[in-house]
Amino acid sequence: MADLATIAAVVSIAGGVVGGIGALQQGQSEKEANYMAADQLEQQGRAEFAAAQRDALEAKYQADLVTSRQIAVAAASGGGARGVPTVMKILDDTGSRAQQLEQSIIYKGLDTQQRYYAAAKVKRISGDSSLIGAIYSGTGNVLGGVAGGIRSLT
C-alpha cells in the first residue's frame, strides 16, 4: 500500500504542477493578446490623427481657393482687394473661419487618437491582470497538488 500512496502523492503533485504551468501559459497568452490589441489600437489612433492632418491641409487648400476667388471677384468688380473695408472684412472672416475649421479638424483627430490610446492602456492593464491572476491560479494549483500529495502519504 505504501507504494500506491507514494504513486498517488507523485501524481497529485505532478497534476498540480502541470495545472500551474497551464494556468501561467494561459495568462501569458492572454497578456500577449491584449498587448497586441493595444498596439493595434494605438496604430489606429495614429492613423486617425494622420487622416485629420490631411483633412486639415485639404480644408486650408480649399479656403485658399475661396480667398483667391474672393480677391479675383473684388478686383474684377473694379473695387480692388485693398482699401475697401467690406472686401478686407470678407477676406479676414474667410481666413478666420478657415483657421477655425483647420484647428477643429486637428483637435477632432487628436481627440480620437487619445481615445484609442486610452483604450490601449486599458487593454494592457487587462493583460497584466490576466497574467497576475494566472500566477495566483497556478500557484494555487501547485500548492493544491502538493497538499493532495501529502494527504496521500498520510
Side-chain angles (χ1 to χ4, degrees):
M1 282 295 184
D3 290 331
L4 195 53
T6 303
I7 292 171
V10 169
V11 169
S12 181
I13 292 170
V17 170
V18 170
I21 291 170
L24 287 174
Q25 287 179 338
Q26 180 181 357
Q28 183 62 34
S29 293
E30 287 177 18
K31 178 182 176 179
E32 289 172 7
N34 280 319
Y35 270 61
M36 184 180 295
D39 290 343
Q40 291 171 345
L41 286 168
E42 286 178 345
Q43 176 57 36
Q44 183 66 29
R46 287 189 295 273
E48 290 287 337
F49 184 63
Q53 289 175 317
R54 288 187 299 275
D55 290 347
L57 285 174
E58 180 61 24
K60 182 177 181 349
Y61 174 73
Q62 292 299 323
D64 289 346
L65 289 177
V66 169
T67 300
S68 176
R69 172 84 173 128
Q70 288 171 334
I71 291 170
V73 168
S77 70
R82 303 264 184 238
V84 180
T86 303
V87 173
M88 293 304 295
K89 178 159 180 13
I90 291 170
L91 292 174
D92 284 344
D93 289 348
T94 301
S96 294
R97 177 64 185 120
Q99 187 176 21
Q100 289 173 350
L101 179 60
E102 289 173 55
Q103 290 172 349
S104 174
I105 292 169
I106 292 292
Y107 175 78
K108 181 180 177 187
L110 184 60
D111 182 59
T112 301
Q113 180 184 37
Q114 293 303 318
R115 282 188 273 125
Y116 276 108
Y117 281 10
K121 184 176 182 178
V122 169
K123 279 286 188 190
R124 285 193 178 92
I125 290 169
S126 177
D128 292 341
S129 294
S130 293
L131 181 58
I132 290 169
I135 289 169
Y136 288 136
S137 177
T139 302
N141 286 342
V142 170
L143 293 176
V146 170
I150 292 171
R151 276 193 304 270
S152 296
L153 290 175
T154 57

